Amino acid sequence: MIIRETMERQQTWFYVMALCAGAWIGLAAPAWGSLLHNAVSPVLAVLLYSMFVQIPFTELRASWSNLHFMAALLIANFIAVPIVVWLLTLVFPQSSGVLMGVYLVLLTPCIDYVIVFTQLGRGNEKLMLAATPLLFVVQIILLPGYLWLFMGSDAAAVMRAGPFVEAFLLLIVVPLLLALMTQILANKGGSAQRLLHVTAWFPVPMMAIALAVVVASQIGKVYNDLNSIVDVIPIYAAFLIIMPWISRIIAKLFQLDTGAGRAIVFSASTRNSLVVLPLALSLSPEWATIAAAVIVTQTMVELAGELIYIRLVPLVILRDR
């Protein structure tokens, strides 16, 4: 019988198996992969609920008042990241459609499963949760400006707030409210308290299911456009290598504690691929297919990178003091 502690210690292997299973399903049974696309958001919502419900929300007030963390987070995501992305696209030049996909995905910080990966990487997930509304609003405001700066006014015109708002409500607000309700009812005992204990088992298996579903639903797009998008992989790989070290410097400059510093690393390195995908699909036909495939490729590269991060960040990049 697998006990919870064993499952958490071996979580990386669960995730590797999930990635392999998702790839096999998506390539061997493309019809199933297409069907699973509709399951991505609900699965992520359940995953985030299972994580939120374990967080002591009474402690979040201190997180909101941590101005050093919030300032470091904004600088890492909205100053350091754009500079790095711009330099990478100079080193690895791409066509306009590919560039649109790269900019859409790399210029927008993740607002959902980054919280889970921060927790798995022994970072301060409460700080990440508290910062989610700020990241959400700032990226909506700044993304058109970045697109205009890097690609011109025509590119900036494609930015729409709808997909961001929908994802924020479904993946953050609804799970968060349900988690709060569960905790309030659990204080009174009864079935809600039993549910609270049961959900403590959920994060690892739900993360594995989420990884399998995402890969199965998206890998077909990557495979079909493999010849066109292979050139963007060095950009994504370089981004994953560079950003943790830049984030570490920023965390040190702001004198953040280890948990907060790790949260900065995960936030600056994890991108909003599942939210910006609808933006790519709404582009003109000559851009939509390739931009979507480029974004999906980033998801594949990032998921593999996150499995390395959850080990490397606490052991190498920002060790316990």
Side-chain angles (χ1 to χ4, degrees):
M1 179 179 178
I2 297 177
I3 62 173
R4 177 182 161 195
E5 289 76 13
T6 302
M7 183 171 60
E8 290 178 347
R9 283 198 304 269
Q10 302 299 326
Q11 60 187 281
T12 301
W13 296 110
F14 281 95
Y15 302 151
V16 170
M17 289 188 290
L19 287 173
C20 294
W24 180 78
I25 292 170
L27 294 175
W32 277 98
S34 298
L35 287 174
L36 286 173
H37 175 74
N38 297 321
V40 171
S41 291
V43 167
L44 284 176
V46 175
L47 167 65
L48 286 160
Y49 164 77
S50 70
M51 193 278 299
F52 289 161
V53 81
Q54 310 302 320
I55 294 175
F57 288 101
T58 54
E59 299 178 12
L60 283 182
R61 185 177 300 177
S63 301
W64 289 323
S65 62
N66 191 333
L67 298 182
H68 278 207
F69 172 80
M70 296 300 177
L73 190 74
L74 292 176
I75 289 172
N77 277 296
F78 300 111
I79 296 178
V81 166
I83 291 172
V84 170
V85 172
W86 177 66
L87 291 174
L88 287 174
T89 55
L90 291 181
V91 175
F92 303 101
Q94 308 292 328
S95 65
S96 295
V98 171
L99 272 180
M100 173 58 77
V102 170
Y103 287 141
L104 280 175
V105 71
L106 290 187
L107 294 174
T108 50
C110 184
I111 57 170
D112 39 68
Y113 62 66
V114 65
I115 302 168
V116 180
F117 282 120
T118 300
Q119 182 187 50
L120 295 174
R122 291 157 51 189
N124 191 327
E125 75 278 4
K126 293 189 289 293
L127 284 173
M128 277 309 310
L129 175 61
T132 294
L134 180 65
L135 288 177
F136 167 69
V137 171
V138 174
Q139 66 182 270
I140 288 178
I141 294 171
L142 293 185
L143 182 58
Y146 288 134
L147 293 178
W148 174 83
L149 183 64
F150 294 151
M151 297 192 69
S153 57
D154 291 341
V158 308
M159 173 60 190
R160 294 184 298 112
F164 285 86
V165 175
E166 181 181 350
F168 184 71
L169 291 175
L170 176 62
L171 299 179
I172 300 295
V173 175
V174 172
L176 187 58
L177 291 177
L178 290 175
L180 280 168
M181 289 174 57
T182 302
Q183 289 192 6
I184 292 170
L185 293 174
N187 290 333
K188 302 176 181 179
S191 57
Q193 192 171 55
R194 290 191 293 273
L195 176 62
L196 194 62
H197 291 303
V198 170
T199 55
W201 285 78
F202 281 15
V204 173
M206 285 307 305
M207 175 61 78
I209 292 171
L211 292 175
V213 169
V214 169
V215 173
S217 65
Q218 305 299 332
I219 197 168
K221 295 185 179 72
V222 176
Y223 182 77
N224 292 335
D225 291 285
L226 193 59
N227 292 333
S228 302
I229 64 175
V230 69
D231 290 342
V232 301
I233 293 178
I235 294 177
Y236 297 148
F239 182 86
L240 285 172
I241 293 169
I242 293 169
M243 282 315 304
W245 299 104
I246 292 179
S247 303
R248 182 178 184 271
I249 293 171
I250 293 171
K252 295 289 185 182
L253 289 174
F254 281 84
Q255 299 181 333
L256 300 180
D257 61 49
T258 304
R262 289 171 184 163
I264 297 293
V265 170
F266 277 97
S267 179
S269 307
T270 310
R271 303 290 88 193
N272 215 354
S273 53
L274 298 177
V275 175
V276 297
L277 187 58
L279 286 179
L281 294 173
S282 69
L283 297 172
S284 58
E286 65 270 19
W287 281 14
T289 301
I290 188 62
V294 166
I295 290 171
V296 170
T297 302
Q298 192 275 338
T299 305
M300 305 295 106
V301 175
E302 180 176 270
L303 290 176
E306 295 288 349
L307 298 183
I308 299 172
Y309 276 180
I310 61 177
R311 295 283 187 176
L312 197 66
V313 171
L315 293 178
V316 177
I317 297 174
L318 274 174
R319 292 179 290 182
D320 291 319
R321 295 172 183 173

